[in-house]
Every structure is written in structure tokens, then in C-alpha cells.
Amino acid sequence: MWRDLAPLGRDTSTQGYRRYAWTAADADCRAWFRDQAETRGLGYEVDRNGNQWAWLGDPGAGDAVVTGSHLDSVPDGGAFDGPLGVVSSFAALDELRARGAELAKPLAIVNFGDEEGARFGLACVGSRLTAGQLSVDQAHTLRDADGISLPRAMERAGYDPDAIGPDPERLAGIGAFVELHVEQGRALADTDAPVGVASAIWPHGRWRFDFHGEANHAGTTRLEDRRDPMLTYANTVLAARKKARLAGALATFGKVGVEPNGVNAIASLVRGWLDSRAADEKTLAAVVEEIERAAVERGERDGVTVRVTRESFTSVVEFAHELRDRLSGLLGGVPVLPTGAGHDAGILSASVPTAMLFVRNPTGVSHSPAETAGEDDCLAGVAALAQVLEGLACH
């Protein structure tokens, strides 16, 4: 499975993945998922929001045990973020069948669409729509860098954008959702444990900073006469690092757009996107407020107007304690650890009991082609997931 999936959406120049929602690469990944489902004789369906499901047992029976993750990627992302969870889910099902395990509940594997938000700027679109955390009207306003709307992109890919929306009946039929994921950090790297259980997801969000200045000639405009938004933006990037470090939080400007974007022109507009995360919501709010204050104060010095728009926010997620503790017990007391990364499991946690397994990442690198996990650790993850699924669905 890993060998078949590996070439899909891979850029040969960077060796990273560009599996963006509702593109040709995404379609290839979705075809791979369907093939895996049908090869195993599983019931295959696509829900109203474009998420793919592979069922063993009756979906309408209720109290289903669901596992899976996503197949899309960030720009030039790694091979493991998302796909490891989907591949491991099919492999765990194969292991259960090899054992002759008898299911007492329906079992499903899911591929949630547009988890990374690389194309439309909002993470976890498929699961947010399903859980009712993204309205239809909000979804219709989402556009990519080329101005193509989410409904138009879905339509071009052969899906019905008029069908999207909350899916409470589907969620009501799920008794537990367990997502396996490569660890995006180094908490397990220096331990003897190849697998861990998630305790919580830090609150996190994305904010758009618009720095409005004045376009002018780079070769004729005196420094004292400039209203250069690039200066304000650069100072804000440095301020974000400092404010986050002092608060024990995280803050990153990882995406930027410049107008008119000419080498010999002073910019009229710099637009930067801030990703910030912290252990609690109070700290996160304070850090973002301080970053915004620093931007505005510097903007006043530079003659630049600053506007800040919150584009997304996810509150702290405490995974269901009973389910979390049960997983830890089934796996013999493996490490329990928090994470700063968002996941579909975090979105669904408000609607169904959810839990996560992490597979050790020796470098801690993620969202990069250098992202990796050892084969033995990946196999340990499959074994752990199989054990968890058996404990939840067969007894």
C-alpha cells in the first residue's frame, strides 16, 4: 500500500507532496482509497461533504468504531502526515481478519477531505462541515489563490457542492473514532516507546495580517518619504517570535503575499498569515493580542495601516478521558502526551468520543519532505491500532 501511494502527488524537484483538495493529485489519492476498500470487499461510500468511507458491517447499526485520517498535504509536505493513519487503518483491519476476530460492532475507515487547508486556507474542512463547525455559507466563501471557490472546485472534481452541510445522523452512528498519526514533534523520540496516546490538542488558530502602505519607486523614493509595509511586516514577524517565546507558546508567519510584488517597487500591501498555538486559550489570546499591538505600533511609525482578521480558531481539545485511558490500558500503559497540531479527531471530539495514537518520529520534523518514521515503529503502530480496534469493536 505504501509503495502504491508514495508517487501520488509527489513533486520530483522537492520530493515533497502537493496533494491539495479537489485537484488531480487528490483524485488519484481518492481512487487509491476506493481501490483499497473494494479490494477488501468493504462497503464504499462518499458522504455529502466528500469524505470517503470504507465499511465492514452495517453502517446503520450504530455504535460504529471508526478509524482513519487524511490523504491531502501541506505544500511540499511529507509522506507520513495523514497517509500513515489511513494506510495503518487498512493494515490493522487486515491484521484483525488474519486473527479471525469477530466484530460485535460495525467498523469503518475514513479519509477526511481537505484536512490541511492548503488550498482554501481553512484546516479540516471535511470534518468541520460534517460536525457543523463550518456553515454552508462560510464554506461557499472559501477561495483558493486563483479565486476558485470551494463549490466550484468540488463541482469540477465531480462532486455536488449543493449537498454539503452538517451530518448529525452519521455522527450519531459513531461510538468511537480513533486516529493514528505520525508524531509531529520529539516527545517519543528519546523514549523506548514507538507508540503513544494523545491527551489533548493545544488551542490554535490562524490570523491574517494586512499591512497597507504606499507603492512607490524603489530607486527614487527617499527612505524618510516611504510608507513601506514590508518594514512593518518584518518587525511583526520578529515580534511574534519574541512574544511566543516569552509566553511558552508558538507563533509562525509561514505564508506571505506582496503587492505589486516587483523587485524595483515599494510594496503597497503585504499580507501575512499568523499561525499561533498555546497550552491554554488565555495564553493564546494574550500572545496574539501582543503581536497585533506590536504590529499596530510599528505601523504608526512606518505610516502603515494594519488590519487583523481571525480566519479560524479551534479551542483546546481534551480527548475523552475514558476512551483515552482505555486505549492506554489496552496498550500496556504507553506514554500519554499532548500535541500542538490540529487533527480531524480534534474537530470530531465535540460530537463523538475520540482518541489518537502517535507513532514515533525520530527527527520530530513534520510538514516537510524530511518527515519520517521507522518501519518497525510503523508496524508497531499497526499492531497497536489493531489491538485497540479489537478491544473496542470485538468485545
Side-chain angles (χ1 to χ4, degrees), residues 5 7-10 17-34 44 46 49-52 69-73 111-116 119-120 150 153-154 156-159:
L5 185 60
L8 306 183
R10 192 171 196 172
Y17 288 90
R18 300 178 181 180
R19 297 167 171 163
Y20 306 149
W22 310 116
T23 63
D26 184 50
D28 289 342
C29 290
R30 297 171 73 84
W32 174 90
F33 183 95
R34 180 170 186 169
Y44 172 78
V46 180
N49 296 307
N51 305 309
Q52 295 178 289
S69 192
H70 63 95
L71 294 174
D72 66 314
S73 77
N111 167 36
F112 282 109
D114 199 6
E115 193 272 354
E116 295 290 7
R119 183 173 181 185
F120 298 102
L150 172 62
M154 292 184 69
R156 287 181 177 180
Y159 294 85

Side-chain angles (χ1 to χ4, degrees), residues 60-147:
D63 202 24
V65 176
V66 180
T67 186
S69 192
H70 63 95
L71 294 174
D72 66 314
S73 77
V74 298
D76 287 327
F80 292 81
D81 181 358
L84 180 63
V86 178
V87 170
S88 297
S89 296
F90 283 114
L93 174 59
D94 294 344
E95 172 64 19
L96 290 180
R97 283 177 155 177
R99 295 179 191 174
E102 296 184 5
L103 294 178
K105 301 176 181 179
L107 179 66
I109 298 171
V110 61
N111 167 36
F112 282 109
D114 199 6
E115 193 272 354
E116 295 290 7
R119 183 173 181 185
F120 298 102
L122 179 66
C124 300
V125 170
S127 56
R128 284 184 193 273
L129 281 169
T130 300
Q133 295 182 29
L134 175 66
S135 72
V136 175
D137 288 343
Q138 289 171 327
H140 282 198
T141 66
L142 296 177
R143 280 174 168 69
D144 66 11
D146 296 321

Side-chain angles (χ1 to χ4, degrees), residues 192-282:
D192 294 329
V195 177
V197 173
S199 60
I201 297 177
W202 281 14
H204 54 279
R206 298 179 182 183
W207 290 260
R208 190 185 75 238
F209 282 63
D210 294 332
F211 303 89
H212 293 271
E214 181 180 62
N216 216 326
H217 197 295
T220 62
T221 310
R222 298 185 306 169
L223 295 180
E224 57 267 31
D225 292 337
R226 300 184 180 201
R227 295 175 52 215
D228 188 350
M230 191 66 75
L231 295 178
T232 315
Y233 168 70
N235 186 79
T236 304
V237 172
L238 296 176
R241 171 61 179 261
K242 180 179 179 180
K243 304 300 184 184
R245 178 174 54 81
L246 292 174
L250 299 170
T252 307
F253 278 97
K255 179 181 178 181
V256 61
V258 182
E259 296 178 10
N261 206 26
V263 175
N264 59 349
I266 300 166
S268 61
L269 169 67
V270 175
R271 178 169 287 144
W273 281 263
L274 170 70
D275 178 300
S276 192
R277 306 164 191 244
D280 61 81
E281 294 179 23
K282 183 178 179 180

Side-chain angles (χ1 to χ4, degrees), residues 37-58:
E38 294 179 344
T39 297
R40 291 168 172 79
L42 305 177
Y44 172 78
E45 64 170 331
V46 180
D47 68 23
R48 63 189 302 175
N49 296 307
N51 305 309
Q52 295 178 289
W53 298 78
W55 286 93
L56 181 61
D58 179 11

